[in-house]
């Protein structure tokens, strides 16, 4: 069984910890508790006939990625950049953030995730928001309903093993 | 017609009849008048009034007090609590002044109890050692070094003990192998969190060539020995003398040289982790036995 390090990053309040908790424990809490520093947890996933241990680092949100200690990103295999689909300020810097992450962690598989899709009233509203995001959004998720959370980590795991 | 009747003047009464009526009223109401006089006297004389009303007032007051006692919390509890809270907040320092001597006494009591327990533990240890070669060894060492036997036993009790050893990939924080006396938490998570703490400290103080080497809390210490692509974290309990630490660091170096030279940790899988864990267990147990 291979182990891989995955980091959840993005601006504060985008729902990184909620996604983390939904994936690890299949739970959701309406209360917002800001993450202090970093929290590490793990989950074993199956990719085809192979088992993979994901060591997931949920790091405290910062407005810009260069504010996060660089050392956290070292040796990372997968990066999940989370944004809030209802708050444009959480994807305002996304292009330069992604460029920065590719530079400091060139071997990582990066997935851009638009979270809180349950708060958008219609498919049209979602399409409108996605068109405004400067980089392609790989997944739209809802930590609250669990929508696409398993798929996100399953596809990330497969990409890391490829 | 009716109003006219009302306006008519009444017949004038005979004066003799008036006198008769007055006498009759006097005779008939005499008792009432006497009673009225008596009541007037009671009302106007405080002592008399108190005598007659005391029992009634006492009973009513008792009832009110009882009601107040039963309903005080629901009726006045909240405002009174608020007033007390405000008072406490306002006089925090005064409160501390009052409580400090109490705390001091409690702490003194706790410390003397701990000393008593420690003395008992030493006495127990000495009893256990009576007529054993170890006792002779303590006696001999005490004579030779000049340190009394109790202190030697104390030293023995506070001797460092390895609780767990982790070999961790430096950048990723992935666990490469581990050995723990007791399973306390998930080793993968410990490895990740230790790496995060290490990364945070090194980043926060921006000392590029310096790395975190020790984490300490109460009687526990985590000694960290950094190598090129991985580090070894040893969790210990007890006091760590300098010579013990040097020996341990040498032992870690020897382990890396002997067991990890040919290892490639590009990909971390459970097979590698298992192999390394076995080697850690063998190597460091041997080191412990040599102590």
């Amino acid at each position: 069984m291979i182990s891989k390090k995955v980091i959840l990053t993005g601006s504060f309040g985008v729902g990184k910890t909620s996604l983390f908790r939904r994936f690890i424990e299949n739970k959701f809490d309406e209360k917002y508790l800001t993450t202090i520093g970093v929290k590490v947890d793990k989950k074993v996933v199956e990719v085809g006939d192979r088992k993979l241990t994901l060591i997931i680092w949920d790091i405290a949100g910062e407005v810009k990625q260069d504010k996060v200690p660089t050392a956290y990103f070292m040796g990372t295999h997968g990066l999940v950049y989370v944004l809030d689909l209802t708050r444009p300020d959480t994807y305002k810097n996304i292009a330069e953030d992604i460029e920065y992450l590719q530079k400091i962690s060139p071997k990582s598989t990066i997935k851009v995730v638009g979270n809180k899709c349950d708060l958008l009233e219609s498919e049209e509203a979602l399409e409108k928001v996605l068109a405004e995001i400067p980089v392609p959004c790989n997944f739209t998720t809802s930590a609250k309903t669990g929508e696409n959370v398993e798929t996100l980590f399953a596809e990330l795991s497969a990409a890391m093993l490829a | 017609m009716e109003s006219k009747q009302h306006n008519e003047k009444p017949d004038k009464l005979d004066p003799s009849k008036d006198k008769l009526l007055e006498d009759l009223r006097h005779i008939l109401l005499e008792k009432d008048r006497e009673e009225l006089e008596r009541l007037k006297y009671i009302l106007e004389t405080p002592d008399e009034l108190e005598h007659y009303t005391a029992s009634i007032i006492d009973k009513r007051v008792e009832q009110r007090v009882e009601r107040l006692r039963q309903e005080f919390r629901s009726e006045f509890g909240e405002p009174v609590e608020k007033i007390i809270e405000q008072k406490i907040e306002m006089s925090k320092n005064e409160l501390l002044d009052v409580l400090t001597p109490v705390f001091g006494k409690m702490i003194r009591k706790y410390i003397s109890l701990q000393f008593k327990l420690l003395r008992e533990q030493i006495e127990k240890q000495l009893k256990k050692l009576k007529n054993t070669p170890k006792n002779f060894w303590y006696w001999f060492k005490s004579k030779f070094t000049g340190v009394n036997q109790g202190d030697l036993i104390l030293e023995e009790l506070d001797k460092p003990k390895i609780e767990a050893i982790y070999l961790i990939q430096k950048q990723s924080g992935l666990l490469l192998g581990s050995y723990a006396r007791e399973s306390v938490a998930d080793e993968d998570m410990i490895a990740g969190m230790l790496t995060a703490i290490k990364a945070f400290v090194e980043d926060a103080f921006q000392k590029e060539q310096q790395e975190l080497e020790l984490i300490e809390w109460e009687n526990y210490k985590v000694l960290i020995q950094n190598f090129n692509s991985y580090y070894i974290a040893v969790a210990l309990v007890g006091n760590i003398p300098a010579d013990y630490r040097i020996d341990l660091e040498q032992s870690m170096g020897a382990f890396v040289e002997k067991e990890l030279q040919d290892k490639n940790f590009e990909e971390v899988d459970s097979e590698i982790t298992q192999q390394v864990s076995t080697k850690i267990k063998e190597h460091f147990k041997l080191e412990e036995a040599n102590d």
Side-chain angles (χ1 to χ4, degrees):
Chain A
M1 186 160 51
I2 296 169
S3 297
K4 298 280 181 191
K5 174 182 175 181
V6 174
I7 280 192
L8 289 178
T9 192
S11 210
F12 64 91
V14 294
K16 297 182 291 295
T17 303
S18 296
L19 276 175
F20 177 83
R21 215 169 157 223
R22 170 63 75 188
F23 179 60
I24 305 274
E25 301 171 47
N26 198 22
K27 280 180 186 164
F28 177 79
D29 199 334
E30 289 281 358
K31 275 187 287 179
Y32 174 65
L33 289 171
T34 184
T35 306
I36 298 166
V38 57
K39 189 176 183 289
V40 180
D41 215 323
K42 74 168 186 180
K43 187 164 177 173
V44 176
V45 292
E46 283 182 30
V47 182
D49 57 351
R50 295 173 78 182
K51 278 190 175 177
L52 177 69
T53 305
L54 296 181
I55 307 292
I56 306 170
W57 291 38
D58 170 27
I59 57 177
E62 289 285 355
V63 178
K64 286 191 83 185
Q65 288 305 297
D66 56 9
K67 301 275 177 212
V68 180
T70 325
Y72 285 179
F73 297 105
M74 297 292 125
T76 303
H77 302 98
L79 264 161
V80 179
Y81 186 99
V82 187
L83 58 93
D84 180 346
L85 291 165
T86 67
R87 276 168 53 210
D89 58 304
T90 66
Y91 49 82
K92 195 174 64 187
N93 301 320
I94 192 167
E96 50 188 291
D97 276 349
I98 297 289
E99 199 184 330
Y100 172 77
L101 293 174
Q102 279 167 337
K103 199 175 135 197
I104 59 165
S105 188
K107 288 181 184 171
S108 291
T109 303
I110 301 177
K111 297 284 177 196
V112 176
V113 175
N115 192 33
K116 305 191 189 178
C117 69
D118 58 292
L119 296 179
L120 296 171
E121 285 165 2
S122 62
E123 199 63 38
E124 289 76 38
L126 176 64
E127 290 302 324
K128 200 179 158 207
V129 173
L130 289 176
E132 284 171 8
I133 300 170
V135 300
C137 200
N138 304 112
F139 293 92
T140 55
T141 59
S142 165
K144 189 175 181 177
T145 64
E147 186 181 336
N148 268 343
V149 178
E150 286 289 332
T151 320
L152 156 69
F153 285 98
E155 285 197 20
L156 176 69
S157 304
M160 286 189 297
L161 282 179
Chain B
M1 282 296 279
E2 225 175 311
S3 64
K4 209 173 177 180
Q5 274 177 352
H6 278 286
N7 289 336
E8 278 175 7
K9 280 185 179 176
D11 294 335
K12 206 175 178 181
L13 290 169
D14 184 354
S16 61
K17 273 184 188 171
D18 267 2
K19 174 82 173 83
L20 197 68
L21 268 170
E22 185 60 34
D23 290 346
L24 190 66
R25 193 185 293 132
H26 189 78
I27 293 161
L28 286 172
L29 297 175
E30 192 177 2
K31 284 223 166 189
D32 288 342
R33 208 169 38 252
E34 279 172 11
E35 185 62 21
L36 197 67
E37 282 300 317
R38 197 178 69 84
L39 288 173
K40 201 178 164 192
Y41 171 75
I42 292 170
L43 278 172
E44 286 172 355
T45 315
D47 287 349
E48 285 293 313
L49 187 66
E50 193 188 337
H51 172 74
Y52 284 100
T53 57
S55 62
I56 302 165
I57 291 173
D58 284 354
K59 199 176 172 188
R60 291 302 297 271
V61 168
E62 268 174 32
Q63 284 172 347
R64 291 296 293 269
V65 168
E66 185 55 34
R67 207 185 119 227
L68 192 66
R69 195 179 292 144
Q70 285 171 0
E71 294 172 5
F72 186 85
R73 192 168 176 82
S74 61
E75 300 238 338
F76 308 104
E78 208 176 313
V80 169
E81 275 171 18
K82 268 191 186 156
I83 291 168
I84 294 171
E85 268 175 27
Q86 282 170 357
K87 283 274 173 200
I88 291 174
E89 188 60 35
M90 281 161 70
S91 50
K92 228 183 234 172
N93 290 335
E94 285 88 336
L95 203 68
L96 274 175
D97 287 343
V98 174
L99 289 177
T100 307
V102 181
F103 286 151
K105 269 185 199 165
M106 282 167 69
I107 292 166
R108 271 200 300 276
K109 209 171 160 186
Y110 176 76
I111 290 174
S112 69
L113 181 74
Q114 289 303 313
F115 269 113
K116 199 178 158 200
L117 286 173
L118 188 65
R119 207 171 49 234
E120 281 174 9
Q121 215 174 339
I122 294 169
E123 279 166 9
K124 220 162 103 184
Q125 192 85 353
L126 279 168
K127 257 187 203 166
K128 218 165 43 174
L129 291 171
K130 211 173 175 184
N131 300 326
T132 62
K134 191 125 190 186
N135 187 35
F136 175 72
W137 183 83
Y138 276 128
W139 176 84
F140 181 75
K141 196 172 175 182
S142 172
K143 291 280 169 210
F144 190 72
T145 57
V147 181
N148 75 46
Q149 284 191 55
D151 286 345
L152 289 173
I153 290 169
L154 258 179
E155 204 176 90
E156 181 80 24
L157 288 171
D158 202 25
K159 207 174 161 187
K161 197 164 84 179
I162 294 174
E163 290 292 313
I165 299 178
Y166 306 95
L167 179 72
I168 302 163
Q169 200 169 46
K170 217 174 195 175
Q171 292 190 331
S172 67
L174 295 177
L175 185 77
L176 302 173
S178 67
Y179 161 68
R181 275 183 193 280
E182 280 176 66
S183 177
V184 271
D186 187 280
E187 284 103 345
D188 287 312
M189 279 154 69
I190 292 175
M193 281 309 293
L194 272 176
T195 310
I197 294 166
K198 199 170 168 302
F200 174 77
V201 172
E202 287 160 9
D203 195 275
F205 296 101
Q206 297 189 336
K207 303 279 184 199
E208 278 179 25
Q209 296 306 315
Q210 293 180 28
E211 293 177 294
L212 182 69
E213 289 177 343
L214 178 71
I215 300 172
E216 192 171 348
W217 77 102
E218 292 193 353
N219 203 25
Y220 290 88
K221 289 163 190 80
V222 178
L223 274 181
I224 296 169
Q225 177 88 330
N226 294 287
F227 297 91
N228 187 38
S229 62
Y230 41 76
Y231 65 92
I232 299 176
V234 184
L236 297 133
V237 64
N239 183 39
I240 307 171
D243 55 349
Y244 181 89
R245 186 172 169 167
I246 292 166
D247 286 351
L248 187 61
E249 282 171 356
Q250 279 175 355
S251 175
M252 287 192 253
F255 172 74
V256 168
E257 207 179 313
K258 191 176 148 199
E259 309 290 355
L260 304 179
Q261 281 302 322
D262 56 337
K263 290 272 185 268
N264 172 13
F265 295 121
E266 284 259 315
E267 193 99 278
V268 182
D269 64 36
S270 48
E271 202 180 312
I272 293 178
T273 313
Q274 196 61 49
Q275 281 172 16
V276 176
S277 296
T278 312
K279 288 191 189 299
I280 290 175
K281 195 177 169 183
E282 285 167 7
H283 182 87
F284 288 93
K285 264 198 167 178
L286 186 69
E287 290 300 316
E288 252 189 304
N290 284 345
D291 277 345

